[in-house]
Amino acid sequence: MGDQMTKDADEALVLVERQPEQRTALVRLNRPKQLNALNGPTMDALCAALEELDRDDAVRAMVVTGSDRAFAAGADIAEMAGASPIDMLRGNRIAQWDRVRRISKPVIAAVNGWCLGGGCELVMALDIVIAGEGAKFGQPEINIGVIPGAGGTQRLTRALGKSRAMEMILTGEPMAAGEALARGLVSRVVPDELVVEDALSLGAAIATKSPLALRLAKESVNAAYEMSLTDGLAHERRLFYLLFASEDQKEGMAAFLEKRTPDFTGR
Ligand code: CO8
């Protein structure tokens, strides 16, 4: 039994650990020898794990991490090297990055080591990025004769502005964690060995809030990337009004007035 569990854990492409008391879950990419290169099965396993946690009422926030040397060094180059455009179109692998983006609960990326190509695009599709001091972010596709394909040219440009994004994408040179923090690509930099712990404790703090409010807050912030200001403000206002139909709004405001801690149920 013990051996079987070890074998399964060794072979699983992602490992999921739940922290029931904190209402969080940790999802770990598990191809360390290949620097967590994101092949089809790994992305599928990641999407399936996140989607299952998204449906689970016992979980309110998630953390995605990789290993010490790499969060993920990009899409798996060996897997796509010989592909034709029609293979790429039929495989439609990039839809897996969209599946990640559609998770409704908050997902924090805890990044150590290399975070490149599709790995960088993955963390930019998540909600909050915490980096270790040694983390390096980049879009090196230009070095292998292609360009970012899962959002890099769009999201990195929104995060960094045109000039710095253009420099990174045209040279393929990575950016260190300190600069990523200064430019807003990540929200915190912590010592490497504390990245996962820090992300989980941030997840636990977020998990004390109303699940409904979290979901709509995430939806509304993401809408800021896709709508005009006028449309975004109208969208935000509708979501704000909608929350007054929730028990959590009544509970949150009553708890404030009664000077006690709210107990949010997600209803
Ligand atoms: N794909 C496949 N294998 C990889 C990848 C990768 N992206 N990155 C690393 N590996 C493998 C290496 O081949 C090596 O395997 P082996 O031990 O069997 O030879 C092992 O991981 C360790 O790598 P290195 O020996 O190269 O380790 P180094 O410390 O010397 O270098 C680097 C680390 C700098 C990260 C280096 O591995 C590297 O440059 N990797 C490639 C980075 C890259 O180009 N990423 C972009 C890929 S393209 C992409 O992500 C496009 C996404 C768009 C959507 C995709 C839809 C399908």
Side-chain angles (χ1 to χ4, degrees), residues 33-35 37 69 73-77 80 93 117-118 121 140-141:
K33 287 189 193 117
Q34 293 80 23
L35 305 186
R69 280 183 68 203
D76 192 316
I77 298 170
M80 63 188 160
R93 290 272 326 280
E121 291 169 315
E141 289 89 344

Side-chain angles (χ1 to χ4, degrees), residues 128-248:
I128 298 174
V129 187
I130 297 183
E133 286 161 345
K136 284 196 166 63
F137 299 83
Q139 299 289 162
E141 289 89 344
I142 202 80
N143 295 327
I144 53 171
V146 290
I147 66 170
T153 62
Q154 305 304 298
R155 291 206 174 94
L156 199 66
T157 305
R158 282 167 167 77
L160 305 180
K162 176 176 168 179
S163 180
R164 192 66 181 94
M166 195 70 94
E167 185 183 334
M168 279 179 76
I169 290 167
L170 299 189
T171 65
E173 286 299 314
M175 174 184 278
E179 185 182 349
L181 177 66
R183 292 181 180 274
L185 183 62
V186 312
S187 67
R188 314 180 180 180
V189 175
V190 301
D192 290 342
E193 62 281 10
L194 297 181
V195 168
V196 171
E197 189 183 320
D198 196 76
L200 283 171
S201 78
L202 177 62
I206 289 171
T208 64
K209 317 297 181 194
S210 159
L212 291 170
L214 289 174
R215 177 177 173 164
L216 298 192
K218 169 170 172 165
E219 182 182 325
S220 199
V221 172
N222 279 331
Y225 286 91
E226 298 183 7
M227 292 182 177
S228 70
L229 182 59
T230 304
D231 290 344
L233 291 171
H235 181 73
E236 177 192 78
R237 191 169 311 174
R238 285 192 290 272
L239 298 183
F240 177 76
Y241 292 152
L242 174 62
L243 284 168
F244 284 75
S246 71
E247 291 173 19
D248 281 355

Side-chain angles (χ1 to χ4, degrees), residues 35-88:
L35 305 186
N36 294 322
L38 300 168
N39 62 7
T42 304
M43 278 303 287
D44 243 349
L46 174 67
C47 293
L50 291 175
E51 286 164 356
E52 188 185 330
L53 295 166
D54 209 25
R55 287 190 295 269
D56 183 344
D57 284 343
V59 174
R60 293 187 179 178
M62 306 160 215
V63 172
V64 176
T65 196
S67 29
D68 294 347
R69 280 183 68 203
F71 176 85
D76 192 316
I77 298 170
E79 190 187 56
M80 63 188 160
S84 72
I86 300 303
D87 295 334
M88 294 301 283

